Amino acid sequence: MGALINPFVVSGRIPEGYFCDRVAESSELEKSLSNQMNVVLTSSRRMGKTSLVDYVFNKPAISDDYITISVDILQTTTFREFIFAFGTAVFDAVATRGEKWRKLFVSFLKSLSGSFGYDPVQNTPTFDVKLGDIQLPEFTLREIFQYLDSVDKRCLVVIDEFQQITRYPEKNVEEILRTHIQKLSNANFVFSGSRRRLIEEMFFSAKRPFYQSAKPLRLEAIDEDVYFDFTVNHFQKAGKMITRGAFDLVYKTFWGVTLYVQRLMKDAFIETQAGVTCDVAMVEQLIKDYIRENDSHLREQLSFITEPQKELLYAIHDEGQVQSITSSAFNRKHRLRSPSSTQSAALKLLEYDLITRKEKTYSLSDPLLSLWLSRRR
């Protein structure tokens, strides 16, 4: 008898039977890409954008007929770093398919020809490029796009946390990328982003280069009833049970954010023995354990922000939602320094993704941080 698989997957690709809902979203994404449309995929962080794209890319209709390329640029800080990450992803997904495509990659990237390594055993070039080797960023980028256009299968490229390019010191990155992408005839893109305000400005402002260049697709929280049915079904398959109250506590505590719900259900599945029911008391303890597990990480996260930023963060947390953060009443109530100082602090907290703004209403971005603050204050 094989080992029991925990059905609540929190990392890596999620197998078909363990993927909860997203029926409409996955169908829409697959249809758009199959019809040569670019997509801008948005949601708050930890809602499952990457898992959704991986799930669709792994479908036979996509995996059999397309080459899929994934690149996460969250940690990049310059245009050169973007090109390095993008070039590495293209090499790994396309050039490694065979000797022909490796050699073709080298022949296209003339700007880096002296930087490639060589595998004497396989008699093929290797992508041994270092960041410092990229001396002509825009030229190298053009070569990578030309290579994509030469490939024998259509390419689907997902760029995760695409709004990161707005933080590069180079001021024309959007224009450069838009110019190259609109000329491609053999590739389509998923521009994925968790900073909703930034990503929507990029694609829906008439003043920006990517204006109306991609179809919008937004992920909201999975419906609570659907998620509960999914959970109960997998508990029952293992001879276990979970009460509606226990599930609802987790779902509401973590605002329906997929990663957190999955993680707590994974823990609940581990702790619940066959023939036993997971109840509210059990998940209350699991939530406490999870907060304690993340204590050091959350402390470190707040250690990088200034005192005025902390004061505003605590004030927004105490209120839950705030519309007028620069109002005299709000500043007096929470003993903030001044409306101008509050405004400056808010801009930084938005940049750090510690708070979010939706239709002029501010709130904390992360339910775990909100919960941790509630337990500490």
Side-chain angles (χ1 to χ4, degrees):
M1 182 177 178
L4 179 65
I5 296 175
N6 192 310
F8 301 97
V9 182
V10 295
S11 62
R13 289 194 172 182
I14 302 176
E16 178 85 27
Y18 303 132
F19 198 84
C20 179
D21 194 34
R22 300 300 190 201
V23 175
E25 295 94 335
S26 60
S27 176
E28 188 66 28
L29 181 57
E30 181 181 352
K31 181 171 65 176
S32 297
L33 294 175
S34 298
N35 284 278
Q36 299 79 54
M37 298 178 69
N38 295 330
V39 175
V40 53
L41 177 64
T42 60
S43 78
S44 55
R45 294 192 68 187
R46 309 172 187 89
M47 202 61 81
K49 296 185 302 300
T50 301
S51 294
L52 174 68
V53 174
D54 286 345
Y55 177 70
V56 171
F57 278 6
N58 209 36
K59 285 176 171 285
I62 297 295
S63 61
D64 292 349
D65 297 326
Y66 298 88
I67 296 173
T68 57
I69 304 165
S70 299
V71 53
D72 186 346
I73 64 169
L74 181 62
Q75 303 304 321
T76 63
T77 58
T78 66
F79 189 32
R80 282 205 310 166
E81 286 186 57
F82 171 89
I83 293 168
F84 181 77
F86 185 46
T88 302
V90 170
F91 185 85
D92 290 344
V94 184
T96 55
R97 295 164 62 226
E99 180 181 353
K100 169 187 174 182
W101 298 108
R102 288 190 189 91
K103 290 183 176 179
L104 196 62
F105 188 78
V106 174
S107 70
F108 268 92
L109 270 73
K110 294 181 176 62
S111 64
L112 298 177
S113 59
S115 304
F116 285 93
Y118 189 78
D119 185 344
V121 177
Q122 298 294 328
N123 193 33
T124 56
T126 60
F127 192 71
D128 196 27
V129 176
K130 302 296 186 289
L131 183 61
D133 296 328
I134 302 173
Q135 298 297 320
L136 302 168
E138 189 173 352
F139 192 72
T140 301
L141 182 67
R142 181 165 68 247
E143 292 173 335
I144 295 171
F145 280 126
Q146 289 172 342
Y147 176 70
L148 287 179
D149 253 350
S150 74
V151 179
D152 59 339
K153 283 186 175 183
R154 193 169 189 85
C155 299
L156 300 179
V157 184
V158 56
I159 305 179
D160 203 8
E161 302 300 347
F162 187 65
Q163 75 281 338
Q164 187 69 12
I165 68 171
T166 65
R167 301 183 65 182
Y168 296 166
E170 301 86 357
K171 301 303 180 185
N172 59 343
V173 176
E174 287 182 60
E175 291 88 341
I176 293 171
L177 286 175
R178 176 69 177 120
T179 298
H180 287 303
I181 288 173
Q182 69 182 356
K183 293 178 181 178
L184 281 177
S185 60
N186 194 43
N188 286 98
F189 288 75
V190 178
F191 305 103
S192 176
S194 59
R195 301 287 300 278
R196 181 179 177 180
R197 182 178 61 86
L198 288 178
I199 205 82
E200 288 187 350
E201 284 178 4
M202 293 175 71
F203 286 90
F204 306 126
S205 169
K207 299 178 181 179
R208 305 289 282 269
F210 278 95
Y211 176 59
Q212 292 189 341
S213 64
K215 181 176 181 178
L217 177 60
R218 177 159 178 81
L219 289 192
E220 303 290 354
I222 297 171
D223 179 83
E224 188 172 358
D225 291 334
V226 172
Y227 216 151
F228 176 66
D229 290 342
F230 170 85
T231 300
V232 167
N233 179 53
H234 283 294
F235 267 73
Q236 289 179 339
K237 284 181 179 178
K240 308 177 182 185
M241 191 57 200
I242 182 169
T243 67
R244 181 63 193 248
F247 178 83
D248 286 353
L249 177 61
V250 171
Y251 187 94
K252 289 180 170 59
T253 297
F254 291 100
W255 310 346
V257 174
T258 308
L259 176 61
Y260 293 138
V261 177
Q262 282 285 103
R263 171 57 198 272
L264 267 295
M265 289 301 99
K266 187 179 191 72
D267 292 348
F269 189 86
I270 293 170
E271 295 301 322
T272 306
Q273 301 300 314
V276 176
T277 297
C278 174
D279 58 13
V280 169
M282 181 184 290
V283 298
E284 284 178 338
Q285 184 59 50
L286 291 174
I287 290 171
K288 291 178 182 177
D289 293 343
Y290 189 57
I291 296 170
R292 186 162 49 248
E293 175 186 325
N294 285 276
D295 182 75
S296 296
H297 160 68
L298 293 168
R299 287 176 184 273
E300 184 177 359
Q301 192 175 21
L302 294 192
S303 71
F304 291 102
I305 65 175
T306 65
E307 189 173 284
Q309 291 161 12
K310 285 190 180 79
E311 291 170 349
L312 177 58
L313 183 72
Y314 298 152
I316 293 174
H317 168 261
D318 291 345
E319 295 288 337
Q321 292 186 333
V322 183
Q323 286 193 328
S324 302
I325 62 168
T326 57
S327 70
S328 298
F330 175 73
N331 280 258
R332 280 198 306 271
K333 178 179 179 181
H334 295 281
R335 301 184 183 88
L336 302 178
R337 305 184 183 203
S338 69
S340 61
S341 175
T342 296
Q343 183 65 46
S344 298
L347 290 174
K348 282 298 183 181
L349 293 176
L350 285 167
E351 181 182 331
Y352 300 150
D353 199 28
L354 290 173
I355 64 172
T356 186
R357 184 177 68 194
K358 184 176 181 181
E359 297 176 356
K360 299 182 179 180
T361 299
Y362 294 82
S363 60
L364 264 64
S365 300
D366 185 359
L368 179 60
L369 176 59
S370 179
L371 193 61
W372 180 75
L373 288 174
S374 296
R375 300 294 173 97
R376 293 186 69 244
R377 301 189 72 208

mmCIF file of all heavy atoms in Angstrom, residues 11-46:
data_model
loop_
_atom_site.group_PDB
_atom_site.id
_atom_site.type_symbol
_atom_site.label_atom_id
_atom_site.label_comp_id
_atom_site.label_asym_id
_atom_site.label_seq_id
_atom_site.Cartn_x
_atom_site.Cartn_y
_atom_site.Cartn_z
ATOM 1 N N SER A 11 3.230 23.786 -2.282
ATOM 2 C CA SER A 11 4.407 24.151 -3.066
ATOM 3 C C SER A 11 4.495 23.245 -4.281
ATOM 4 O O SER A 11 4.007 22.110 -4.272
ATOM 5 C CB SER A 11 5.686 24.034 -2.225
ATOM 6 O OG SER A 11 5.886 22.699 -1.807
ATOM 7 N N GLY A 12 5.132 23.759 -5.334
ATOM 8 C CA GLY A 12 5.271 22.976 -6.547
ATOM 9 C C GLY A 12 3.966 22.909 -7.324
ATOM 10 O O GLY A 12 2.962 23.536 -6.978
ATOM 11 N N ARG A 13 3.980 22.147 -8.400
ATOM 12 C CA ARG A 13 2.794 22.019 -9.242
ATOM 13 C C ARG A 13 1.730 21.167 -8.546
ATOM 14 O O ARG A 13 2.039 20.163 -7.912
ATOM 15 C CB ARG A 13 3.153 21.409 -10.590
ATOM 16 C CG ARG A 13 3.947 22.377 -11.475
ATOM 17 C CD ARG A 13 4.020 21.915 -12.913
ATOM 18 N NE ARG A 13 4.605 22.949 -13.750
ATOM 19 C CZ ARG A 13 4.763 22.831 -15.062
ATOM 20 N NH1 ARG A 13 4.384 21.709 -15.671
ATOM 21 N NH2 ARG A 13 5.295 23.814 -15.771
ATOM 22 N N ILE A 14 0.511 21.585 -8.675
ATOM 23 C CA ILE A 14 -0.603 20.893 -8.026
ATOM 24 C C ILE A 14 -1.229 19.916 -9.010
ATOM 25 O O ILE A 14 -1.718 20.317 -10.071
ATOM 26 C CB ILE A 14 -1.660 21.898 -7.537
ATOM 27 C CG1 ILE A 14 -1.026 22.908 -6.568
ATOM 28 C CG2 ILE A 14 -2.822 21.167 -6.872
ATOM 29 C CD1 ILE A 14 -1.971 23.996 -6.099
ATOM 30 N N PRO A 15 -1.247 18.620 -8.694
ATOM 31 C CA PRO A 15 -1.869 17.635 -9.590
ATOM 32 C C PRO A 15 -3.359 17.911 -9.776
ATOM 33 O O PRO A 15 -4.008 18.534 -8.923
ATOM 34 C CB PRO A 15 -1.642 16.303 -8.860
ATOM 35 C CG PRO A 15 -0.492 16.555 -7.936
ATOM 36 C CD PRO A 15 -0.626 17.985 -7.519
ATOM 37 N N GLU A 16 -3.900 17.437 -10.860
ATOM 38 C CA GLU A 16 -5.289 17.692 -11.244
ATOM 39 C C GLU A 16 -6.272 17.448 -10.102
ATOM 40 O O GLU A 16 -7.111 18.281 -9.802
ATOM 41 C CB GLU A 16 -5.655 16.789 -12.434
ATOM 42 C CG GLU A 16 -7.086 16.905 -12.904
ATOM 43 C CD GLU A 16 -7.305 18.037 -13.877
ATOM 44 O OE1 GLU A 16 -6.355 18.408 -14.579
ATOM 45 O OE2 GLU A 16 -8.448 18.550 -13.930
ATOM 46 N N GLY A 17 -6.182 16.315 -9.442
ATOM 47 C CA GLY A 17 -7.165 15.965 -8.420
ATOM 48 C C GLY A 17 -7.079 16.789 -7.155
ATOM 49 O O GLY A 17 -7.995 16.757 -6.326
ATOM 50 N N TYR A 18 -5.997 17.532 -6.989
ATOM 51 C CA TYR A 18 -5.796 18.313 -5.768
ATOM 52 C C TYR A 18 -5.897 19.814 -6.008
ATOM 53 O O TYR A 18 -5.557 20.612 -5.134
ATOM 54 C CB TYR A 18 -4.433 17.983 -5.144
ATOM 55 C CG TYR A 18 -4.246 16.518 -4.833
ATOM 56 C CD1 TYR A 18 -3.095 15.843 -5.218
ATOM 57 C CD2 TYR A 18 -5.247 15.799 -4.170
ATOM 58 C CE1 TYR A 18 -2.933 14.490 -4.934
ATOM 59 C CE2 TYR A 18 -5.097 14.458 -3.889
ATOM 60 C CZ TYR A 18 -3.937 13.802 -4.282
ATOM 61 O OH TYR A 18 -3.782 12.473 -4.006
ATOM 62 N N PHE A 19 -6.349 20.209 -7.181
ATOM 63 C CA PHE A 19 -6.478 21.624 -7.520
ATOM 64 C C PHE A 19 -7.909 22.065 -7.229
ATOM 65 O O PHE A 19 -8.861 21.552 -7.819
ATOM 66 C CB PHE A 19 -6.151 21.850 -8.998
ATOM 67 C CG PHE A 19 -5.833 23.274 -9.338
ATOM 68 C CD1 PHE A 19 -4.558 23.775 -9.148
ATOM 69 C CD2 PHE A 19 -6.807 24.131 -9.829
ATOM 70 C CE1 PHE A 19 -4.255 25.091 -9.456
ATOM 71 C CE2 PHE A 19 -6.526 25.437 -10.134
ATOM 72 C CZ PHE A 19 -5.239 25.919 -9.952
ATOM 73 N N CYS A 20 -8.045 23.010 -6.315
ATOM 74 C CA CYS A 20 -9.374 23.415 -5.858
ATOM 75 C C CYS A 20 -9.970 24.486 -6.766
ATOM 76 O O CYS A 20 -9.410 25.589 -6.884
ATOM 77 C CB CYS A 20 -9.311 23.930 -4.422
ATOM 78 S SG CYS A 20 -10.921 24.474 -3.768
ATOM 79 N N ASP A 21 -11.094 24.180 -7.389
ATOM 80 C CA ASP A 21 -11.896 25.136 -8.148
ATOM 81 C C ASP A 21 -11.080 25.822 -9.249
ATOM 82 O O ASP A 21 -10.379 25.145 -9.995
ATOM 83 C CB ASP A 21 -12.515 26.158 -7.198
ATOM 84 C CG ASP A 21 -13.634 26.960 -7.866
ATOM 85 O OD1 ASP A 21 -14.356 26.400 -8.710
ATOM 86 O OD2 ASP A 21 -13.774 28.145 -7.546
ATOM 87 N N ARG A 22 -11.199 27.135 -9.368
ATOM 88 C CA ARG A 22 -10.578 27.935 -10.430
ATOM 89 C C ARG A 22 -10.976 27.422 -11.809
ATOM 90 O O ARG A 22 -10.210 27.559 -12.770
ATOM 91 C CB ARG A 22 -9.053 27.942 -10.302
ATOM 92 C CG ARG A 22 -8.512 28.504 -9.001
ATOM 93 C CD ARG A 22 -8.925 29.943 -8.794
ATOM 94 N NE ARG A 22 -8.234 30.578 -7.671
ATOM 95 C CZ ARG A 22 -8.678 31.642 -7.043
ATOM 96 N NH1 ARG A 22 -9.824 32.191 -7.397
ATOM 97 N NH2 ARG A 22 -7.999 32.180 -6.050
ATOM 98 N N VAL A 23 -12.172 26.829 -11.899
ATOM 99 C CA VAL A 23 -12.633 26.275 -13.174
ATOM 100 C C VAL A 23 -12.780 27.374 -14.214
ATOM 101 O O VAL A 23 -12.270 27.264 -15.339
ATOM 102 C CB VAL A 23 -13.967 25.524 -12.988
ATOM 103 C CG1 VAL A 23 -14.504 25.049 -14.339
ATOM 104 C CG2 VAL A 23 -13.801 24.350 -12.031
ATOM 105 N N ALA A 24 -13.469 28.449 -13.849
ATOM 106 C CA ALA A 24 -13.704 29.540 -14.795
ATOM 107 C C ALA A 24 -12.398 30.235 -15.159
ATOM 108 O O ALA A 24 -12.142 30.537 -16.334
ATOM 109 C CB ALA A 24 -14.688 30.544 -14.204
ATOM 110 N N GLU A 25 -11.553 30.483 -14.155
ATOM 111 C CA GLU A 25 -10.307 31.205 -14.405
ATOM 112 C C GLU A 25 -9.344 30.402 -15.279
ATOM 113 O O GLU A 25 -8.722 30.943 -16.196
ATOM 114 C CB GLU A 25 -9.626 31.556 -13.084
ATOM 115 C CG GLU A 25 -10.401 32.535 -12.214
ATOM 116 C CD GLU A 25 -11.287 31.827 -11.194
ATOM 117 O OE1 GLU A 25 -11.672 30.657 -11.461
ATOM 118 O OE2 GLU A 25 -11.573 32.421 -10.144
ATOM 119 N N SER A 26 -9.211 29.101 -14.999
ATOM 120 C CA SER A 26 -8.296 28.279 -15.800
ATOM 121 C C SER A 26 -8.797 28.134 -17.230
ATOM 122 O O SER A 26 -8.007 28.154 -18.178
ATOM 123 C CB SER A 26 -8.110 26.898 -15.157
ATOM 124 O OG SER A 26 -9.343 26.212 -15.047
ATOM 125 N N SER A 27 -10.117 28.018 -17.386
ATOM 126 C CA SER A 27 -10.691 27.934 -18.728
ATOM 127 C C SER A 27 -10.455 29.220 -19.506
ATOM 128 O O SER A 27 -10.099 29.195 -20.691
ATOM 129 C CB SER A 27 -12.189 27.642 -18.629
ATOM 130 O OG SER A 27 -12.789 27.655 -19.904
ATOM 131 N N GLU A 28 -10.641 30.358 -18.832
ATOM 132 C CA GLU A 28 -10.452 31.648 -19.481
ATOM 133 C C GLU A 28 -8.993 31.865 -19.875
ATOM 134 O O GLU A 28 -8.698 32.357 -20.974
ATOM 135 C CB GLU A 28 -10.903 32.772 -18.541
ATOM 136 C CG GLU A 28 -10.941 34.148 -19.169
ATOM 137 C CD GLU A 28 -11.988 34.279 -20.257
ATOM 138 O OE1 GLU A 28 -13.008 33.560 -20.208
ATOM 139 O OE2 GLU A 28 -11.768 35.092 -21.181
ATOM 140 N N LEU A 29 -8.089 31.494 -19.001
ATOM 141 C CA LEU A 29 -6.667 31.658 -19.300
ATOM 142 C C LEU A 29 -6.249 30.764 -20.461
ATOM 143 O O LEU A 29 -5.556 31.208 -21.384
ATOM 144 C CB LEU A 29 -5.832 31.337 -18.062
ATOM 145 C CG LEU A 29 -4.315 31.483 -18.202
ATOM 146 C CD1 LEU A 29 -3.933 32.895 -18.632
ATOM 147 C CD2 LEU A 29 -3.618 31.113 -16.894
ATOM 148 N N GLU A 30 -6.680 29.509 -20.420
ATOM 149 C CA GLU A 30 -6.344 28.584 -21.501
ATOM 150 C C GLU A 30 -6.907 29.060 -22.842
ATOM 151 O O GLU A 30 -6.220 29.033 -23.869
ATOM 152 C CB GLU A 30 -6.876 27.184 -21.176
ATOM 153 C CG GLU A 30 -6.551 26.149 -22.232
ATOM 154 C CD GLU A 30 -7.102 24.772 -21.908
ATOM 155 O OE1 GLU A 30 -7.609 24.581 -20.780
ATOM 156 O OE2 GLU A 30 -7.035 23.890 -22.787
ATOM 157 N N LYS A 31 -8.139 29.517 -22.831
ATOM 158 C CA LYS A 31 -8.776 29.986 -24.069
ATOM 159 C C LYS A 31 -8.058 31.207 -24.626
ATOM 160 O O LYS A 31 -7.826 31.301 -25.841
ATOM 161 C CB LYS A 31 -10.245 30.312 -23.795
ATOM 162 C CG LYS A 31 -11.022 30.780 -25.025
ATOM 163 C CD LYS A 31 -12.514 30.876 -24.739
ATOM 164 C CE LYS A 31 -12.827 31.934 -23.711
ATOM 165 N NZ LYS A 31 -14.298 32.102 -23.506
ATOM 166 N N SER A 32 -7.702 32.135 -23.768
ATOM 167 C CA SER A 32 -7.032 33.350 -24.217
ATOM 168 C C SER A 32 -5.674 33.038 -24.835
ATOM 169 O O SER A 32 -5.339 33.535 -25.920
ATOM 170 C CB SER A 32 -6.854 34.323 -23.043
ATOM 171 O OG SER A 32 -8.109 34.729 -22.534
ATOM 172 N N LEU A 33 -4.893 32.205 -24.162
ATOM 173 C CA LEU A 33 -3.564 31.872 -24.672
ATOM 174 C C LEU A 33 -3.648 31.050 -25.956
ATOM 175 O O LEU A 33 -2.832 31.228 -26.876
ATOM 176 C CB LEU A 33 -2.771 31.119 -23.609
ATOM 177 C CG LEU A 33 -2.417 31.920 -22.354
ATOM 178 C CD1 LEU A 33 -1.745 31.031 -21.323
ATOM 179 C CD2 LEU A 33 -1.519 33.103 -22.697
ATOM 180 N N SER A 34 -4.624 30.162 -26.024
ATOM 181 C CA SER A 34 -4.796 29.340 -27.226
ATOM 182 C C SER A 34 -5.219 30.175 -28.434
ATOM 183 O O SER A 34 -5.075 29.734 -29.577
ATOM 184 C CB SER A 34 -5.841 28.247 -26.980
ATOM 185 O OG SER A 34 -5.425 27.379 -25.949
ATOM 186 N N ASN A 35 -5.727 31.368 -28.166
ATOM 187 C CA ASN A 35 -6.151 32.260 -29.237
ATOM 188 C C ASN A 35 -5.222 33.465 -29.379
ATOM 189 O O ASN A 35 -5.620 34.533 -29.838
ATOM 190 C CB ASN A 35 -7.591 32.714 -28.996
ATOM 191 C CG ASN A 35 -8.593 31.625 -29.321
ATOM 192 O OD1 ASN A 35 -8.952 31.425 -30.471
ATOM 193 N ND2 ASN A 35 -9.027 30.899 -28.296
ATOM 194 N N GLN A 36 -3.976 33.258 -29.003
ATOM 195 C CA GLN A 36 -2.901 34.220 -29.215
ATOM 196 C C GLN A 36 -3.173 35.580 -28.577
ATOM 197 O O GLN A 36 -2.921 36.634 -29.163
ATOM 198 C CB GLN A 36 -2.594 34.403 -30.705
ATOM 199 C CG GLN A 36 -2.127 33.147 -31.422
ATOM 200 C CD GLN A 36 -3.280 32.222 -31.776
ATOM 201 O OE1 GLN A 36 -4.227 32.659 -32.420
ATOM 202 N NE2 GLN A 36 -3.196 30.969 -31.377
ATOM 203 N N MET A 37 -3.686 35.547 -27.352
ATOM 204 C CA MET A 37 -3.921 36.784 -26.605
ATOM 205 C C MET A 37 -2.966 36.860 -25.421
ATOM 206 O O MET A 37 -2.685 35.843 -24.772
ATOM 207 C CB MET A 37 -5.364 36.849 -26.102
ATOM 208 C CG MET A 37 -6.411 36.853 -27.198
ATOM 209 S SD MET A 37 -8.086 36.869 -26.521
ATOM 210 C CE MET A 37 -8.134 38.521 -25.822
ATOM 211 N N ASN A 38 -2.469 38.051 -25.135
ATOM 212 C CA ASN A 38 -1.714 38.278 -23.909
ATOM 213 C C ASN A 38 -2.699 38.497 -22.762
ATOM 214 O O ASN A 38 -3.811 38.991 -22.977
ATOM 215 C CB ASN A 38 -0.810 39.501 -24.048
ATOM 216 C CG ASN A 38 0.279 39.300 -25.093
ATOM 217 O OD1 ASN A 38 0.730 38.178 -25.319
ATOM 218 N ND2 ASN A 38 0.690 40.378 -25.731
ATOM 219 N N VAL A 39 -2.294 38.140 -21.555
ATOM 220 C CA VAL A 39 -3.171 38.224 -20.386
ATOM 221 C C VAL A 39 -2.443 38.942 -19.261
ATOM 222 O O VAL A 39 -1.253 38.685 -19.018
ATOM 223 C CB VAL A 39 -3.603 36.818 -19.913
ATOM 224 C CG1 VAL A 39 -4.420 36.904 -18.627
ATOM 225 C CG2 VAL A 39 -4.393 36.094 -21.002
ATOM 226 N N VAL A 40 -3.136 39.845 -18.577
ATOM 227 C CA VAL A 40 -2.597 40.431 -17.351
ATOM 228 C C VAL A 40 -3.373 39.827 -16.191
ATOM 229 O O VAL A 40 -4.585 40.008 -16.062
ATOM 230 C CB VAL A 40 -2.662 41.972 -17.363
ATOM 231 C CG1 VAL A 40 -4.054 42.501 -17.664
ATOM 232 C CG2 VAL A 40 -2.153 42.540 -16.040
ATOM 233 N N LEU A 41 -2.673 39.046 -15.383
ATOM 234 C CA LEU A 41 -3.277 38.278 -14.292
ATOM 235 C C LEU A 41 -2.946 38.950 -12.965
ATOM 236 O O LEU A 41 -1.782 39.096 -12.602
ATOM 237 C CB LEU A 41 -2.715 36.854 -14.310
ATOM 238 C CG LEU A 41 -3.161 35.905 -13.199
ATOM 239 C CD1 LEU A 41 -4.655 35.641 -13.266
ATOM 240 C CD2 LEU A 41 -2.392 34.581 -13.305
ATOM 241 N N THR A 42 -3.982 39.367 -12.247
ATOM 242 C CA THR A 42 -3.762 40.086 -10.993
ATOM 243 C C THR A 42 -4.514 39.435 -9.837
ATOM 244 O O THR A 42 -5.554 38.808 -10.022
ATOM 245 C CB THR A 42 -4.206 41.557 -11.094
ATOM 246 O OG1 THR A 42 -5.604 41.617 -11.396
ATOM 247 C CG2 THR A 42 -3.428 42.281 -12.181
ATOM 248 N N SER A 43 -3.973 39.627 -8.658
ATOM 249 C CA SER A 43 -4.635 39.235 -7.409
ATOM 250 C C SER A 43 -3.757 39.736 -6.292
ATOM 251 O O SER A 43 -2.617 40.176 -6.519
ATOM 252 C CB SER A 43 -4.796 37.712 -7.298
ATOM 253 O OG SER A 43 -3.576 37.106 -6.921
ATOM 254 N N SER A 44 -4.262 39.683 -5.071
ATOM 255 C CA SER A 44 -3.399 39.955 -3.936
ATOM 256 C C SER A 44 -2.406 38.804 -3.825
ATOM 257 O O SER A 44 -2.575 37.748 -4.446
ATOM 258 C CB SER A 44 -4.221 40.082 -2.653
ATOM 259 O OG SER A 44 -5.007 38.918 -2.459
ATOM 260 N N ARG A 45 -1.349 38.994 -3.048
ATOM 261 C CA ARG A 45 -0.325 37.960 -2.921
ATOM 262 C C ARG A 45 -0.888 36.730 -2.214
ATOM 263 O O ARG A 45 -1.809 36.803 -1.428
ATOM 264 C CB ARG A 45 0.881 38.498 -2.157
ATOM 265 C CG ARG A 45 1.625 39.605 -2.902
ATOM 266 C CD ARG A 45 2.945 39.900 -2.256
ATOM 267 N NE ARG A 45 3.869 38.776 -2.406
ATOM 268 C CZ ARG A 45 5.065 38.707 -1.817
ATOM 269 N NH1 ARG A 45 5.441 39.668 -1.007
ATOM 270 N NH2 ARG A 45 5.847 37.676 -2.015
ATOM 271 N N ARG A 46 -0.314 35.587 -2.583
ATOM 272 C CA ARG A 46 -0.626 34.285 -1.975
ATOM 273 C C ARG A 46 -2.018 33.774 -2.352
ATOM 274 O O ARG A 46 -2.559 32.908 -1.669
ATOM 275 C CB ARG A 46 -0.489 34.350 -0.439
ATOM 276 C CG ARG A 46 0.844 34.928 0.031
ATOM 277 C CD ARG A 46 0.856 35.158 1.526
ATOM 278 N NE ARG A 46 2.065 35.860 1.938
ATOM 279 C CZ ARG A 46 2.181 37.180 1.994
ATOM 280 N NH1 ARG A 46 1.136 37.949 1.678
ATOM 281 N NH2 ARG A 46 3.302 37.748 2.364
#
